[in-house]
Amino acid sequence: MNIDNKLPWLLQKKHIAHIEGDHLLIGDRRRYPWEHSYVACSSVAQIAQAIAEMVTQGGGPLQVGLTTMRFLAKKIEAGHESNALTSFASAVELLAAARPTNTTMRRTLERFLKHLQPWYANDSSQKSLITFVGSIIDAIEAGFDADYQQMSDHGSLLITNNAGILTTCFAEHTFILSLIKAREQGKNFTVYVPETRPYLQGARLTAPALVELGLQVQLITDGMGAHFMGQGAITHYMTAADVVAMDGTVVNKTGTLANAICAQYYQIPYTVFAMSPDPSIHTASDIVMEERDGKEVLYVNGKLTTLESITGRYPAFDCIDPALISHIITPKGLAFPHEIDSLYGQREK
Amino acid sequence: MNIDNKLPWLLQKKHIAHIEGDHLLIGDRRRYPWEHSYVACSSVAQIAQAIAEMVTQGGGPLQVGLTTMRFLAKKIEAGHESNALTSFASAVELLAAARPTNTTMRRTLERFLKHLQPWYANDSSQKSLITFVGSIIDAIEAGFDADYQQMSDHGSLLITNNAGILTTCFAEHTFILSLIKAREQGKNFTVYVPETRPYLQGARLTAPALVELGLQVQLITDGMGAHFMGQGAITHYMTAADVVAMDGTVVNKTGTLANAICAQYYQIPYTVFAMSPDPSIHTASDIVMEERDGKEVLYVNGKLTTLESITGRYPAFDCIDPALISHIITPKGLAFPHEIDSLYGQREK
């Protein structure tokens, strides 16, 4: 089943990334919602740079990474790149290094490389490289789609009628499918969307995507979550996760920690959608926390908010203590934070 | 002693409001720090409108209100307004209604009206109206200056060496004088300034004012306070208050509540500077909480952050439970929240 039909424009695979002629086109989330435009990349280096510059973000780089493997196979068959497993391995390295904190793309592409090995081992493979790579990526994408479906079944059941759901940043497929299914179950709810400075992913991505689906949305500033919790308007807090450690520590966009602490203060459940807990990360101290250029905090959509001489700080992510989290929804089901280790605490197959 | 010499440009009385010819000029905080400009008002109605449009905010309207009384006396003597106590009373009503939550200006101007009564009662006053009004306002201003001095003595002593001080919005005289005095006491510290969306008072007012004084400033987004608390970088939280109720409830700019909850979670003291606890307000339920037009959340400095069709919410203030507050610094000294009633719980003299 193609879940793209249910999803808003922004999350449909072809609008995250697709190949057109000699280029890989990445949906430009910096220009959405005003423009539905793409950044065209002609090399893996350009793709990695686009990811570093946050043309796409959150779960976007994963889909871009998968599409890049198809793109590279095409370039190799056209004779523009050397036909070796190391071409793919270097591409994976370059893409994974573009943003250091979220390791889902890196681990997924490393899985891809393992599946690719047989093609190079048996030189006489009956399939073309493009077809072989395509079938691996198709299977990986189908696996993620199945995970989205299963996880959003859980998510939708946690949403109660007349809920007020706070989120942070852009929680993508699992969260948005949960909302779609909750509505299909006849539930009424309002989603409170913090704008998510400095990049405004909440204002620019989440709010328009939910409005496109006909859902009730209230856009607020990043400091207002506690206000609406205190009024009783917010009853649920739900986010995605960029990293989940084996001890249940969650890493997500800056601003998540404050809302998680306030949710606990008001006894509001905090649910995390975690596509892929990372078995190599045991606790918070194993996580590479990205700090971006503080200058970015001084701008809104390219316009200066203060004097240019002011020093800004931009920790891209928060690290959230497991004690602040009510449930983590994973591809292996709904878990309490302390259960993550028993579900994922070993090498991935 | 004139405290204006110590203060940053923005807080010097003449830059908050002054009279020039037929106009009262209000320092335009919406254009600062890029411009040092004024909005010229030729009537009390225009002044009230400027306050509603947040040309000035926080403690600004109080100084504007005081200067408006001098302005009105001048207009009356020039024969442009009817010479009656009711002219002043209507002006006070108009100004006080411009922003409903903060009652300091209203109560200060009502005090002014009481002091003005004798002039109208003894028609043959030896002083001109301008001189009489001027002497009342001079005394009120001197009283506030003395309060700023005394309160900032307390504030400075709470700041420890190598402190990281988080604030919210623009905490004005008492906070900034506390920082100045702490530095004079030889202490080193960094001030973490959340930008304070939607109006960016932190980015536009607080950060430039502190940098003008040569203090160390880090500008962050409104969701990052907890992040730096968790890292141990923030050791103190200090804000002004728009209202303080007799039970110790504090009202301050939206975003204050989330930081106060997170400060308690990390056992960081939260200190509130309260110019004038309001004896007529007993608990949170007596406070008029202003909700401004939600459209304002969709803009940054006049530029749209999302689709114009999105619904925004803009509660201007947070209400903070006394249990979240460590100390309240008042003109009557440093108090715990539960002591406010015994200090202020009666009609003001």
Side-chain angles (χ1 to χ4, degrees):
Chain A
M1 182 215 159
N2 187 354
I3 61 167
D4 277 12
N5 304 332
K6 278 194 161 191
L7 290 166
W9 186 91
L10 197 57
L11 286 180
Q12 292 165 22
K13 286 187 191 69
K14 64 178 174 293
H15 300 141
I16 300 176
H18 68 272
I19 298 165
E20 211 171 282
D22 291 346
H23 290 82
L24 183 142
L25 272 63
I26 303 175
D28 194 342
R29 292 188 177 179
R30 299 169 308 179
R31 292 173 177 272
Y32 184 90
W34 301 285
E35 290 175 29
H36 290 191
S37 65
Y38 300 87
V39 169
C41 303
S42 60
S43 69
V44 176
Q46 284 184 9
I47 297 167
Q49 196 188 333
I51 291 171
E53 288 170 1
M54 294 177 73
V55 171
T56 192
Q57 47 61 255
L62 169 64
Q63 186 60 38
V64 171
L66 293 171
T67 308
T68 303
M69 297 304 108
R70 300 186 198 264
F71 178 66
L72 191 53
K74 209 177 155 194
K75 285 196 107 106
I76 288 169
E77 291 230 331
H80 298 313
E81 298 277 343
S82 99
N83 188 357
L85 187 56
T86 51
S87 298
F88 285 97
S90 325
V92 168
E93 206 40 56
L94 207 57
L95 293 173
R99 299 284 309 276
T101 301
N102 188 325
T103 61
T104 304
M105 186 237 275
R106 173 187 289 277
R107 287 177 293 130
T108 304
L109 295 184
E110 282 168 358
R111 192 146 52 91
F112 161 79
L113 290 176
K114 271 188 209 154
H115 289 293
L116 184 59
Q117 270 170 356
W119 195 88
Y120 284 97
N122 316 314
D123 219 7
S124 59
S125 168
Q126 295 186 328
K127 287 183 182 167
S128 77
L129 181 63
I130 291 181
T131 310
F132 196 82
V133 165
S135 65
I136 304 171
I137 300 295
D138 285 348
I140 291 175
E141 288 182 350
F144 278 116
D145 284 357
D147 289 345
Y148 297 147
Q149 289 285 18
Q150 185 267 118
M151 290 166 68
S152 56
D153 283 343
H154 283 291
S156 69
L157 295 177
L158 291 177
I159 297 169
T160 50
N161 194 30
N162 299 319
I165 305 163
L166 179 69
T167 187
T168 289
C169 200
F170 182 43
E172 308 202 36
H173 302 76
T174 47
F175 175 60
I176 290 180
L177 284 171
S178 297
L179 299 176
I180 292 168
K181 290 178 182 181
R183 181 176 53 182
E184 287 169 358
Q185 291 155 14
K187 296 166 188 165
N188 237 320
F189 52 87
T190 299
V191 186
Y192 289 81
V193 180
E195 56 181 358
T196 319
R197 283 277 293 141
Y199 275 101
L200 297 167
Q201 291 94 333
R204 294 188 299 99
L205 309 182
T206 306
L210 300 186
V211 164
E212 179 188 335
L213 298 172
L215 297 170
Q216 280 188 295
V217 170
Q218 308 242 298
L219 185 68
I220 62 177
T221 72
D222 297 340
M224 288 181 192
H227 182 97
F228 291 104
M229 291 183 197
Q231 290 196 338
I234 289 171
T235 56
H236 295 67
Y237 182 39
M238 292 182 151
T239 73
D242 285 276
V243 183
V244 175
M246 289 303 102
D247 71 351
T249 298
V250 163
V251 169
N252 196 47
K253 173 57 56 191
T254 185
T256 305
L257 175 60
N259 285 330
I261 292 170
C262 294
Q264 185 168 77
Y265 178 81
Y266 287 112
Q267 300 181 288
I268 290 165
Y270 173 31
T271 303
V272 175
F273 294 93
M275 284 306 297
S276 69
D278 186 338
S280 74
I281 295 178
H282 301 286
T283 66
S285 60
D286 299 325
I287 300 166
V288 180
M289 295 294 283
E290 178 184 9
E291 177 141 3
R292 296 181 65 86
D293 186 351
K295 275 262 173 266
E296 299 183 18
V297 165
L298 276 55
Y299 289 85
V300 181
N301 288 341
K303 203 175 161 184
L304 208 53
T305 63
T306 186
L307 301 178
E308 210 174 357
S309 57
I310 304 278
T311 303
R313 289 292 297 277
Y314 183 9
F317 299 101
D318 278 341
C319 205
I320 297 112
D321 192 89
L324 293 167
I325 300 160
S326 310
H327 330 94
I328 300 180
I329 298 177
T330 76
K332 297 185 182 176
L334 183 94
F336 293 112
H338 71 268
E339 295 174 318
I340 291 296
D341 191 37
S342 65
L343 286 174
Y344 284 90
Q346 40 190 312
R347 295 258 154 258
E348 283 184 312
K349 278 134 219 156
Chain B
M1 182 215 158
N2 188 352
I3 61 166
D4 276 11
N5 304 332
K6 279 196 161 192
L7 290 167
W9 187 92
L10 198 58
L11 286 180
Q12 293 166 20
K13 287 186 191 71
K14 63 180 174 295
H15 301 142
I16 300 176
H18 68 272
I19 298 165
E20 210 171 282
D22 290 347
H23 290 83
L24 183 141
L25 272 63
I26 304 176
D28 194 341
R29 292 189 177 178
R30 299 168 308 180
R31 291 172 178 272
Y32 184 90
W34 303 284
E35 292 176 28
H36 289 189
S37 65
Y38 301 87
V39 169
C41 303
S42 59
S43 68
V44 175
Q46 284 184 8
I47 297 167
Q49 196 188 335
I51 292 171
E53 289 170 1
M54 292 179 72
V55 172
T56 192
Q57 48 60 255
L62 169 64
Q63 186 61 40
V64 170
L66 293 171
T67 309
T68 303
M69 297 303 107
R70 298 186 201 263
F71 178 68
L72 192 52
K74 208 177 155 194
K75 287 198 105 119
I76 288 169
E77 291 229 330
H80 298 313
E81 296 279 342
S82 99
N83 186 357
L85 186 57
T86 50
S87 297
F88 285 97
S90 327
V92 168
E93 206 40 58
L94 208 55
L95 294 173
R99 298 285 308 277
T101 301
N102 187 326
T103 60
T104 304
M105 186 236 273
R106 174 188 287 279
R107 287 177 294 130
T108 304
L109 295 184
E110 282 168 358
R111 191 146 53 90
F112 161 80
L113 291 176
K114 271 189 205 149
H115 288 293
L116 183 61
Q117 269 172 357
W119 196 88
Y120 285 98
N122 317 314
D123 218 6
S124 58
S125 168
Q126 295 183 326
K127 289 183 183 168
S128 77
L129 180 64
I130 291 181
T131 310
F132 195 82
V133 165
S135 64
I136 304 171
I137 299 297
D138 285 348
I140 290 174
E141 288 183 351
F144 278 115
D145 284 356
D147 289 345
Y148 297 147
Q149 289 284 18
Q150 184 267 120
M151 290 166 69
S152 56
D153 284 343
H154 283 290
S156 69
L157 295 176
L158 291 177
I159 296 170
T160 50
N161 194 30
N162 299 319
I165 305 163
L166 178 70
T167 188
T168 289
C169 201
F170 182 44
E172 308 204 34
H173 301 76
T174 46
F175 174 60
I176 289 181
L177 284 171
S178 297
L179 299 176
I180 292 168
K181 291 178 182 181
R183 181 174 54 181
E184 287 169 357
Q185 292 155 14
K187 294 167 189 165
N188 238 320
F189 51 86
T190 299
V191 186
Y192 289 81
V193 180
E195 57 181 358
T196 319
R197 283 276 295 139
Y199 275 102
L200 297 167
Q201 291 95 335
R204 295 188 300 100
L205 309 182
T206 305
L210 300 185
V211 165
E212 179 188 333
L213 298 172
L215 297 169
Q216 281 189 294
V217 169
Q218 307 242 298
L219 185 69
I220 61 176
T221 71
D222 297 340
M224 289 181 192
H227 181 96
F228 291 104
M229 291 182 196
Q231 290 197 337
I234 289 171
T235 56
H236 295 68
Y237 182 40
M238 293 183 150
T239 73
D242 285 277
V243 183
V244 176
M246 289 304 102
D247 70 352
T249 298
V250 162
V251 169
N252 197 46
K253 173 56 56 189
T254 184
T256 305
L257 176 60
N259 285 329
I261 292 169
C262 294
Q264 185 167 79
Y265 178 79
Y266 287 114
Q267 300 182 288
I268 290 165
Y270 173 31
T271 303
V272 175
F273 293 93
M275 284 307 298
S276 69
D278 187 336
S280 74
I281 295 177
H282 301 285
T283 66
S285 61
D286 299 326
I287 300 166
V288 180
M289 295 294 283
E290 178 183 9
E291 177 140 3
R292 296 180 66 85
D293 185 349
K295 273 261 174 266
E296 298 184 18
V297 165
L298 277 55
Y299 289 85
V300 181
N301 288 341
K303 203 174 160 182
L304 208 52
T305 63
T306 187
L307 301 177
E308 209 174 359
S309 58
I310 304 277
T311 303
R313 290 291 297 277
Y314 184 8
F317 299 101
D318 278 340
C319 206
I320 296 113
D321 192 90
L324 293 167
I325 299 160
S326 310
H327 329 93
I328 301 180
I329 298 178
T330 76
K332 296 185 183 176
L334 183 94
F336 293 112
H338 71 268
E339 295 175 318
I340 293 295
D341 191 38
S342 65
L343 286 174
Y344 285 89
Q346 41 189 310
R347 293 258 154 257
E348 285 183 312
K349 279 135 213 156

